């Protein structure tokens, strides 16, 4: 968890620029920010791997990511790009399923990590908070299925 109040204020500001967070009351964004932390990864580094436990959603602040899925022969295929201001990892967290893709940094990237357990706390206090996230996850799921 981030103990620095400056980080928490920055998280709240960032959430105000993301469509599925921007509609939330400030109190919900503040509650969400209290459980977040920064994560930096280098270009080429994996954020997470297909099949791993889904324990967090990530908001890309700077940089670029790409998602890859393995085919039946084990070869990885590009299934999507994640750009600054977008989130990744929401589907697995929402439905408590393993990661559906491997996500790698295309270049050095800075992210905000939103722990899945903290999203549960947010949902208890602000149930409407997860509606936008659920819509995004369903849209992404449909996009991944079209690549399969």
């Amino acid at each position: 968890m981030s103990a620095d109040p400056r980080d928490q204020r920055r998280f709240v500001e960032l959430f105000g620029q993301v469509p599925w967070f921007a509609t939330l009351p400030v109190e919900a964004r503040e509650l969400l920010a209290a459980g977040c932390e920064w994560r930096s990864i280098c270009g080429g580094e994996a954020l997470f791997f297909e099949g791993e436990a889904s324990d967090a959603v990530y908001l890309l602040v700077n940089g670029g990511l790409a998602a890859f899925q393995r085919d039946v022969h084990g070869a990885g295929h590009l299934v999507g790009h994640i750009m600054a201001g977008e989130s990744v990892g929401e589907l697995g967290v929402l439905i408590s399923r393993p990661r559906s893709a491997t996500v790698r940094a295309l270049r050095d990237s800075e992210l905000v990590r939103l722990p899945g357990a903290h999203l549960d706390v947010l949902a208890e206090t602000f149930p409407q908070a997860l509606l936008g996230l659920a819509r995004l996850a369903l849209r992404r799921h449909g996009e991944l299925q079209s690549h399969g």
Side-chain angles (χ1 to χ4, degrees), residues 6-103:
R6 290 173 297 177
D7 282 345
Q8 289 185 18
R9 283 193 302 275
R10 177 122 188 260
F11 294 150
V12 171
E13 290 171 12
L14 288 169
F15 297 154
Q17 300 168 14
V18 177
W20 64 270
F21 289 130
T23 59
L24 297 178
V26 173
E27 297 83 9
R29 286 185 263 147
E30 289 171 345
L31 177 62
L32 185 60
C36 293
E37 60 191 17
W38 291 109
R39 171 93 191 265
S40 296
I41 59 174
C42 297
E45 185 180 344
L47 178 62
F48 52 75
F49 293 94
E50 183 175 351
E52 285 183 346
S54 298
D55 62 345
V57 175
Y58 295 88
L59 173 63
L60 182 60
V61 178
N62 294 306
L65 307 172
F68 301 87
Q69 284 186 321
R70 292 183 303 235
D71 63 20
V72 294
H73 305 291
H77 297 278
L78 177 69
V79 293
H81 289 94
I82 300 93
M83 301 299 161
E86 294 182 327
S87 61
V88 64
E90 56 281 320
L91 180 61
V93 170
L94 283 174
I95 62 174
S96 299
R97 301 290 293 276
R99 301 288 189 193
S100 61
T102 295
V103 173

